[in-house]
Amino acid sequence: MLDFSKPGLAIFDMDSTLITIECIDEIAAIAGCKREVSLITERAMRGELDFAESLKARVAKLRGVRRTQLEQLFDPIPFTPGAQELLYWLHQKGWKTALVSGGFTWFAAPVSQTLKFDFCLANRLVWDNDVLTGEVEEPIVDARIKAECLERWASEADIPMHQTLAVGDGANDIPMLNAAGFGVAFCAKPSLQEIADLIIDEPDLMAIVRYFEQQIVNNPSHAL
């Protein structure tokens, strides 16, 4: 059981977790290939495809999209219900927070800034002036990197691993949730639900807070 009266670290996936969209699918819509890319994304999130290779294949189809076209996707930022309230609650508890995403810094940076994350890492799209080249910078943020980020950032913040919370939705979040002291599968694929400590199917991130508050009611020896 996490102790929110002591320091901790909460780490989050971004696409379909903190925000309601899969950014790559929405860029693909601009490029006119959303259905094709969405099917690959779905298979990757179920763990049926190698994440890094599937990401390269999907990004290749985005060549030619202009920066100005992306701006419409994040105006306003499509936050998942409860995201801002949950991050405020965690900060009020004195917890460090982190965002690690197999998505892109173009989207992760404003999310991180708005929600005041202490740590943030995502993949970098390659631009030629203001046009996407269809490439993504190496190394790619995949499942292994996500878990490594959790461990490294917890160490940097001097937080024991049993005081870490990880929240995600796809198969590429499995190592991260396995490494965390407590893992939440949020509106998640079956493969992630199988290893999670908590499964939340309602699209409201504040359900996490309600769960822990209920644990205190059931066991008053635990403190928030």
Side-chain angles (χ1 to χ4, degrees):
M1 180 68 173
L2 299 173
D3 186 346
F4 288 96
S5 69
K6 297 178 180 178
L9 170 68
I11 188 167
F12 295 85
D13 172 53
M14 181 176 69
D15 293 26
S16 298
T17 301
L18 288 170
I19 60 176
T20 59
I21 63 174
E22 290 285 338
C23 291
I24 194 166
D25 294 352
E26 300 307 315
I27 303 174
I30 296 172
C33 56
K34 182 174 182 177
R35 176 171 172 76
E36 182 180 0
V37 169
S38 294
L39 289 173
I40 300 173
T41 300
E42 179 70 15
R43 291 187 65 195
M45 291 301 97
R46 290 199 302 261
E48 297 174 2
L49 301 173
D50 177 79
F51 180 82
E53 292 306 313
S54 73
L55 182 66
K56 291 177 185 178
R58 286 175 285 162
V59 171
K61 299 180 183 299
L62 308 181
R63 181 178 180 179
V65 173
R66 296 184 175 277
R67 193 183 299 269
T68 52
Q69 292 176 285
L70 297 193
E71 293 172 355
Q72 67 191 36
L73 299 179
F74 255 42
D75 185 20
I77 299 174
F79 284 118
T80 298
Q84 291 163 293
E85 294 85 351
L86 172 58
L87 268 294
Y88 178 80
W89 186 85
L90 288 165
H91 291 147
Q92 289 294 106
K93 298 297 180 183
W95 273 47
K96 298 289 186 182
T97 56
L99 185 164
V100 62
S101 174
F104 308 115
T105 54
W106 198 94
F107 302 98
V111 169
S112 178
Q113 182 178 14
T114 301
L115 297 182
K116 298 179 173 58
F117 280 100
D118 298 287
F119 306 96
C120 178
L121 182 69
N123 289 303
R124 293 183 176 274
L125 292 166
V126 180
W127 298 86
D128 180 7
N129 292 319
D130 285 331
V131 179
L132 289 178
T133 66
E135 299 170 303
V136 59
E137 290 185 13
E138 299 278 359
I140 288 175
V141 178
D142 59 9
R144 177 181 60 84
I145 296 294
K146 283 189 168 190
E148 289 177 355
C149 283
L150 168 59
E151 295 169 353
R152 181 173 74 251
W153 292 336
S155 177
E156 290 177 6
D158 197 27
I159 292 168
M161 289 300 293
H162 67 262
Q163 276 288 97
T164 59
L165 167 69
V167 185
D169 74 295
N172 65 326
D173 296 313
I174 289 174
M176 182 174 75
L177 263 68
N178 276 332
F182 194 93
V184 177
F186 179 76
C187 299
K189 300 297 184 289
S191 58
L192 190 66
Q193 292 185 6
E194 289 176 3
I195 61 93
D197 298 298
L198 173 64
I199 298 170
I200 292 178
D201 288 326
E202 60 176 304
D204 179 3
L205 282 166
M206 278 299 285
I208 296 173
V209 174
R210 292 192 289 272
Y211 168 81
F212 285 112
E213 288 178 339
Q214 186 59 46
Q215 298 308 300
I216 301 308
V217 172
N218 296 339
N219 190 347
S221 64
H222 293 295
L224 285 179

